[in-house]
Amino acid sequence: MSRMKLLFLQVMVGVVLIALWWIGSNVEIFGVLLLPPFFFSTPGDVFSRVVRLFATGVIWKHLWVTLLETALAFAIGAIGGILFGFWFARKPNVAAVFDPYLKMINALPRVVLAPIFMLWLGLGIWSKVALGVTLVFFIVFFNVYQGVKEVSPVVLANARLMGLNERQLFRHVYWPSALSWMFSSLHTSVGFALVGAVVGEYLGSSAGLGYLIHQAEGVFDIAGVFAGMFVLAAFVLIIDWVVSHIEDRLLVWRPRNTLNDA
Amino acid sequence: MDSLDAPPGPDDGAVSAVRLDGVRIAFRLEGGTTYEAVAETSIEVAENEFVAIVGPTGCGKSTLLNAVAGLLKPAAGSVTVFGRPLAGLCREAGYLFQQDAVMPWKTALDNVALGLEVAGRPREAALDEARAWLAKVGLARFADRYPHQLSGGQRKRVGLAQVLIRHPKILLMDEPFGPLDAQTRQIMGNLLLDLWAADRKAVLFVTHDLEEAIALSDRVLIMSAGPHARIIGDHRIDLARPRDTSDIRLDPRFHELHRAIWGQLKAEVIKTYGEATP
C-alpha cells in the first residue's frame, strides 16, 4: 500500500467515525437522538472546547505537567529496571531469593498503590511519578533480564575467545543485547509511564490532563471530558511517533519484522 | 594407517601446536550418572599442519574442539598448547563456530575490528586493518552491513576475518561451512586454503564431510561413533598443494584415499545409525 493511500484510508476512518457521532448526536432518527448530547456531547462542542483549551493557553500547563511526570516515571523506572535486570541476570542466586517477591509486587494492580503514594508523596507530581515508576520498572526489568539471559552462548564463547574481559563483555555483548530487548518494549513502557501519570492525576492532583478530565467529569461537562480525552490521545500519538523514531535509530541492526511494517 | 598408541608427531625436537594426551570428556547427567562422550584420546597437531577430524554426527568431535579452546574441561588427560598446559581459555586459538557467532548488533567492519580493539589497538588502526581483512575475504563492499543483511556465506566470511585478524597460532573450526550450500562450501574451502597458505597456522578442522576433509587437510583423523568415541584412524593426505577444493576431487589419488578412509568411516556411520533406530 502506498503511503498516500494509507494516509487517506487512516483519515477516512476518523472522518467516518466522527460523521456517525455527529449524525447520532444531531439528527433525530424516528424522533430520538441515538447519542444524546448529555452523555455523548457533539463533535462541534468538543472541537470548540479543544480550540478554546489551546486558544486560552490553559492546556499548556497541564500538558507540561503530564509530560514531565511521564518523562520522570520513564527515566527512573528504566534506570532501576536496567540496574536490577543486570544484577539479577548476572547473579542467579539473588534472582532466586527475590523471585517470589517480584512476582507478588508485579501481580499487584498498581492502582491500589496510588492512594499510598499520595499519602507518602503528597498531591504534587511525585506521587504520579512513583505510580508510573512501578509500572515502567517491571517492563524494563523483565526485558533487560531476558536480554542478558538470552545472549547466544555461541556469541558469548566467541567473544570470550576473542579475549574480551568482563568489562568488555558487558560493553560489547550484554549491554547491546539488553538494550535491544528494552527498546523493543519502549512503546509499552512509555505508554505505561503515561498511564501512571494520568491515572495518578485522575485520583488526586491539581494539574495535568488527568486532572482536567476529572474536573470536567465532576460537573457532568461531557464536552470537557471528551476534549481532554482527545488531547490525551493526540499527545499519545505524538509521543509514540517520537519513540518510533528513536527506536529506528537505535535498532538499525535488527532484522525488520515485515509483518509489522506493511 | 599409522599406529594409534603413538600419534605421528612432527619432526623431533619441534613443539607441537596442540597436544591432547589421554583426554576423556564426560558429562554429568541428571540422576548422578555420567555420560562419557569421548574416551581416552590423544591427538597431536604440528605447527603448520592442517588436521581434519571426521566422524559420524554426535560423536563428540565438537566437544573435543571445545576442550582445546578451553571452553570445556576434560574429565581426565591433558591439553598442551605449544608445550604449555592449557589453563582457562586458549588465548592462542581462533575458533570458527558452526553457528553464527558474529555480533548481530555490530556491522561487519566493527565485528572484525573488535578483536583488535579489545586488545588495545586504537580504533582507527583497528578499523583500517579490519577493512583490509574484509577485502581479503571478498566483502570490501559490505563493511557497513549488519549481519542480518548478509547471506549465510557472507556471515561465515565475516566470522573468518574476525578470527584471522587476531593472527591466532591455532585455528579451530567446528563444521564452519556446515550450514552452507554445496557450491558456497567449495568457494569457502578455497578461500580458507588461500588464507591459510599465507602463514600456515595449525588447524584443527572438524567435519562430517569426508570429501571436504580430504580436499582441505594434511591428515584426516577418523573418530568412532559415540559414546566413548575414540580416534580410530589416522590418514596422511599426500595430495599436492596448492589445491583447488573442487578440482582435487577429480584426482585419482583423491579417490584412492577416499575409498580407503570411507571403508573405515562407513562402519562407524552405520553403527550410529543402528543405535539410533531400535
Side-chain angles (χ1 to χ4, degrees):
Chain A
M1 199 168 356
S2 77
R3 254 188 109 89
M4 285 310 291
K5 192 175 168 197
L6 179 66
L7 194 65
F8 173 75
L9 288 175
Q10 285 173 335
V11 170
M12 279 313 288
V13 171
V15 169
V16 168
L17 286 177
I18 291 172
L20 287 175
W21 180 20
W22 185 84
I23 291 167
S25 55
N26 280 286
V27 182
E28 290 193 10
I29 296 166
F30 303 119
V32 282
L33 282 172
L34 288 177
L35 304 171
F38 180 77
F39 294 111
F40 295 94
S41 190
T42 65
D45 284 353
V46 172
F47 181 72
S48 60
R49 186 65 65 89
V50 171
V51 170
R52 202 182 338 142
L53 279 173
F54 281 93
T56 55
V58 178
I59 195 74
W60 299 118
K61 177 186 143 203
H62 298 292
L63 271 178
W64 165 246
V65 168
T66 302
L67 182 65
L68 184 68
E69 288 163 356
T70 305
L72 283 172
F74 175 76
I76 297 171
I79 291 170
I82 289 171
L83 288 178
F84 278 86
F86 264 106
W87 187 36
F88 281 29
R90 304 290 281 132
K91 300 266 185 285
N93 288 335
V94 178
V97 169
F98 282 97
D99 183 62
Y101 295 99
L102 276 175
K103 284 200 178 120
M104 216 161 78
I105 300 172
N106 191 34
L108 196 69
R110 252 37 75 77
V111 178
V112 303
L113 293 175
I116 300 175
F117 287 141
M118 239 153 258
L119 281 175
W120 290 347
L121 303 165
L123 292 177
I125 64 166
W126 291 106
S127 55
K128 286 83 198 171
V129 172
L131 191 58
V133 166
T134 60
L135 290 163
V136 173
F137 172 82
F138 283 95
I139 300 168
V140 174
F141 169 79
F142 285 119
N143 274 287
V144 168
Y145 182 80
Q146 201 72 3
V148 175
K149 284 274 175 193
E150 297 268 307
V151 170
S152 145
V154 180
V155 170
L156 202 58
N158 188 32
R160 279 186 202 283
L161 281 169
M162 264 197 281
L164 274 75
N165 59 32
E166 278 298 313
R167 202 174 46 80
Q168 289 163 333
L169 277 180
F170 175 81
R171 190 180 143 204
H172 294 284
V173 181
Y174 291 119
W175 180 248
S177 174
L179 271 199
S180 79
W181 277 74
M182 192 196 121
F183 281 124
S184 65
S185 66
L186 205 57
H187 287 281
T188 325
S189 44
V190 170
F192 270 110
L194 186 66
V195 167
V198 172
V199 169
E201 287 162 0
Y202 187 86
L203 293 176
S205 64
S206 54
L209 289 176
Y211 164 80
L212 214 59
I213 293 170
H214 187 57
Q215 286 301 100
E217 192 191 326
V219 294
F220 293 99
D221 173 13
I222 300 302
V225 174
F226 273 83
M229 274 163 47
F230 274 105
V231 173
L232 183 60
F235 185 61
V236 170
L237 273 186
I238 294 169
I239 288 185
D240 202 63
W241 180 81
V242 171
V243 168
S244 291
H245 270 254
I246 294 173
E247 201 178 51
D248 280 352
R249 266 290 182 72
L250 292 168
L251 294 183
V252 275
W253 59 269
R254 273 218 162 171
R256 281 193 172 270
N257 185 346
T258 42
L259 274 176
N260 291 342
D261 277 358
Chain B
M1 189 181 138
D2 301 293
S3 152
L4 293 173
D5 299 326
D11 305 345
D12 284 327
V15 183
S16 50
V18 179
R19 198 191 160 98
L20 301 180
D21 271 316
V23 166
R24 207 173 69 86
I25 296 170
F27 298 101
R28 197 176 302 273
L29 299 178
E30 266 178 69
T33 51
T34 50
Y35 172 84
E36 190 188 55
V38 179
E40 280 194 21
T41 295
S42 300
I43 296 176
E44 199 159 358
V45 182
E47 263 181 288
N48 312 335
E49 196 180 23
F50 198 127
V51 175
I53 302 178
V54 186
T57 331
C59 73
K61 305 174 298 242
S62 309
T63 327
L64 212 52
L65 221 49
N66 286 342
V68 177
L71 291 170
L72 192 125
K73 220 177 145 43
S78 71
V79 180
T80 321
V81 174
F82 287 106
R84 279 199 307 274
L86 182 66
L89 290 177
C90 182
R91 294 288 169 204
E92 284 87 356
Y95 198 139
L96 196 58
F97 292 85
Q98 183 176 10
Q99 307 95 319
D100 277 326
V102 294
M103 290 166 200
W105 43 80
K106 285 181 182 291
T107 60
L109 187 66
D110 282 333
N111 258 302
V112 176
L114 182 62
L116 295 181
E117 272 185 77
V118 296
R121 187 82 62 91
R123 184 165 165 81
E124 274 313 308
L127 288 182
D128 283 342
E129 199 167 333
R131 261 184 219 105
W133 270 100
L134 279 176
K136 278 189 208 178
V137 296
L139 288 178
R141 288 190 301 115
F142 299 93
D144 295 326
R145 297 274 187 96
Y146 287 92
H148 83 269
Q149 298 165 319
L150 299 169
S151 69
Q154 289 170 328
R155 279 202 291 272
K156 280 283 171 253
R157 286 160 188 255
V158 175
L160 193 59
Q162 190 181 46
V163 166
L164 291 178
I165 196 171
R166 293 174 48 238
H167 294 289
K169 292 188 195 144
I170 302 162
L171 208 50
L172 306 173
M173 308 182 97
D174 180 13
E175 304 204 27
F177 310 141
L180 306 178
D181 61 85
Q183 289 85 354
T184 315
R185 288 177 80 132
Q186 299 201 350
I187 293 169
M188 289 299 290
N190 279 335
L191 176 67
L192 175 62
L193 284 187
D194 284 348
L195 294 172
W196 178 71
D199 57 357
R200 293 212 165 209
K201 304 167 196 310
V203 180
L204 204 50
F205 189 101
V206 160
T207 179
H208 62 259
D209 182 346
L210 180 56
E211 290 191 27
E212 184 176 58
I214 298 174
L216 292 173
S217 58
D218 296 322
R219 254 168 72 209
V220 172
L221 308 180
I222 303 296
M223 211 159 169
S224 71
H228 318 297
R230 306 168 290 118
I231 301 291
I232 51 163
D234 186 336
H235 306 263
R236 194 156 286 281
I237 307 298
D238 47 9
L239 297 165
R241 291 192 189 272
R243 301 178 194 162
D244 180 295
T245 53
S246 29
D247 294 350
I248 197 95
R249 286 165 209 240
L250 308 172
D251 193 302
R253 179 68 188 140
F254 182 92
H255 290 280
E256 252 171 69
L257 286 164
H258 189 273
R259 203 172 311 124
I261 305 174
W262 175 240
Q264 192 174 29
L265 184 59
K266 194 173 165 188
E268 293 307 318
V269 174
I270 288 169
K271 217 182 283 172
T272 317
Y273 185 72
E275 272 166 26
T277 49

